[in-house]
Amino acid sequence: MNIHGTPYRTVWFADDLVRIIDQRLLPWHFQILDLPTTTHVAHAILDMAVRGAGCIGATAAYGMALAAREAASSPDPTAALIAKADELNCRPTAVNLAWALKRQLDHLLPLPPSTWPENALTEANRIADEDAAACAAIGQHGLSLIQDIASRKPSGQPVNILTHCNAGWLAFVDHGSATAPIYAAHAAGIPVHVWVDETRPRNQGARLTAWELAHQNIPHTVIADNTGGHLMQHGLVDLVITGADRVTRSGDVANKIGTYLKALAARDNNLPFYVALPTSTFDWTLTDGLAQIPIEARSSDELIWMDGPDASGTLHHIRLIPETSPTANHAFDVTPSRLITGLITEHGILPANEKAIATLQPPAA
Ligand code: MRU
């Protein structure tokens, strides 16, 4: 995506460093962060300097290029590489992270350690390129849904799309998942308007999705998280598209906390609820999302504190909740497949059921 006229990916490798856009500072500052060691990469993932399923997968893949160099010179390179992959596997819900690390280990371990650094970097570039290409293809497939709705609306009226959290290009290497069809529709001249859920507690919608859409000149409105149902009841939403962090082989979807409530509201209002994901987000080992997908519990500090500038631009960190009140921060929820109209993947749009999803499963190695 272009920022101030310069094309960026969210993560890349240069001068022996992993480089990322530091998402903790957006939308107030656009800053590149250099990560020189595996430990720096793990910390960036854990602290959400990088975030979003595809983006943390690609970042970890690049982290393995540093890990390969560090491990290759250790007394037991294999044990060291496995330990570094474990260190990078530091968020539990988005399966792209574990998927990218396993892919790197499967690729590297049969090779001589002296060749690991070069091979790890090549594989990381491949993972990043595939992620960007998958998201671009998701955009083209999802475009047909938006075109179809637009063709049934009075000419010139925008298609109103509600999205949750940030499943935009910042959550991947480029393009995004849920936003890719929106970018494709905008590029095709179809009028669109996006309802952006703020997405408490970290506000990825208000801070990141809104920033992305503004940079692409896409009409949008940030709403409080509880507004979606009301908008749906009043005919102000045509379509919901969210991203996903892990999808079972039966089509249950783990995504940012609050997604399930949007799916319930969409069902009650007879509205289409689509989930966009690259196939790297499927967990082929799981069938029951509610019982089997691990849900990350994050620090309550995300709930208790809020960051933002005052009128003069000075950033503040302020407390929102009384010191005496206990808090809990469940970061994801699971939307059962029965509430999902369809899955938008790089291979096309399919129903969220085991038979359809099985057609996408890669052959066993
Ligand atoms: O906790 P985050 O910000 O890493 O959350 C993951 C997400 O980006 C969202 O759940 C998103 O909708 C999934 S699409 C990658």
Side-chain angles (χ1 to χ4, degrees):
M1 285 288 166
N2 279 352
I3 300 298
H4 309 306
T6 305
Y8 281 96
R9 283 183 164 191
T10 52
V11 56
W12 65 99
F13 196 91
D15 304 326
D16 289 334
L17 299 164
V18 178
R19 296 199 145 147
I20 59 164
I21 296 170
D22 190 340
Q23 301 192 27
R24 295 168 301 188
L25 304 178
L26 291 171
W28 304 296
H29 300 292
F30 182 80
Q31 205 164 291
I32 307 304
L33 184 64
D34 289 343
L35 307 171
T37 68
T38 307
T39 299
H40 285 87
V41 176
H43 184 260
I45 294 171
L46 199 56
D47 202 39
M48 293 176 67
V50 273
R51 45 142 303 280
C55 185
I56 60 175
T59 303
Y62 281 116
M64 286 297 282
L66 300 175
R69 198 176 53 199
E70 295 160 11
S73 57
S74 94
D76 184 346
T78 298
L81 191 69
I82 293 170
K84 284 174 189 298
D86 277 349
E87 185 183 356
L88 289 166
N89 197 9
C90 55
R91 292 193 67 195
T93 303
V95 77
N96 302 60
L97 180 58
W99 168 86
L101 291 166
K102 179 176 182 318
R103 184 163 151 177
Q104 283 282 29
L105 285 178
D106 289 349
H107 182 61
L108 298 175
L109 288 177
L111 304 172
S114 60
T115 71
W116 286 352
E118 193 189 332
N119 280 293
L121 181 56
T122 305
E123 190 67 2
N125 281 328
R126 221 177 269 141
I127 287 170
D129 288 349
E130 286 173 18
D131 182 271
C135 287
I138 286 168
Q140 290 310 310
H141 292 299
L143 168 62
S144 63
L145 294 173
I146 300 175
Q147 261 164 343
D148 185 47
I149 294 170
S151 71
R152 287 184 270 115
K153 295 197 84 155
S155 166
Q157 276 205 12
V159 177
N160 286 300
I161 301 157
L162 185 140
T163 193
H164 191 69
C165 193
N166 173 263
W169 72 275
L170 290 168
F172 289 86
V173 174
D174 206 348
H175 307 293
S177 56
T179 54
I182 297 169
Y183 292 136
H186 184 67
I190 298 170
V192 287
H193 167 263
V194 186
W195 296 111
V196 179
D197 282 351
E198 62 175 346
T199 320
R200 284 282 291 149
R202 280 188 79 98
N203 294 317
Q204 290 97 326
R207 291 179 56 164
L208 304 177
T209 305
W211 179 82
E212 272 194 28
L213 294 173
H215 270 275
Q216 306 306 319
N217 294 315
I218 296 191
H220 62 281
T221 307
V222 179
I223 50 175
D225 278 334
N226 302 325
T227 312
H230 167 77
L231 296 174
M232 293 180 199
Q233 287 175 320
H234 289 271
L236 295 170
V237 177
D238 296 304
L239 167 70
V240 182
I241 311 180
T242 74
D245 292 275
R246 189 186 295 230
V247 178
T248 66
R249 55 184 302 130
S250 56
D252 295 339
V253 168
N255 193 50
K256 186 51 58 186
I257 193 78
T259 303
Y260 170 53
L261 293 177
K262 295 298 138 63
L264 284 174
R267 174 56 55 94
D268 191 46
N269 289 281
N270 208 16
L271 287 168
F273 183 96
Y274 282 89
V275 175
L277 69 150
T279 46
S280 50
T281 303
F282 282 109
D283 185 335
W284 304 104
T285 67
L286 304 186
T287 47
D288 181 345
L290 216 46
Q292 296 175 305
I293 297 179
I295 299 296
E296 182 176 16
R298 290 193 58 87
S299 164
S300 283
D301 282 353
E302 292 181 346
L303 200 61
I304 296 169
W305 299 93
M306 183 84 88
D307 295 330
D310 62 20
S312 72
T314 308
L315 283 179
H316 295 280
H317 185 63
I318 58 164
R319 176 178 266 279
L320 296 178
I321 295 171
E323 286 177 36
T324 46
S325 295
T327 49
N329 184 9
H330 304 270
F332 299 91
D333 61 23
V334 173
T335 300
S337 59
R338 67 188 151 77
L339 296 177
I340 297 166
T341 312
L343 303 173
I344 312 170
T345 76
E346 70 269 37
H347 301 297
I349 300 175
L350 55 145
N353 65 48
E354 187 147 10
K355 188 162 172 244
I357 292 169
T359 63
L360 302 179
Q361 185 167 10

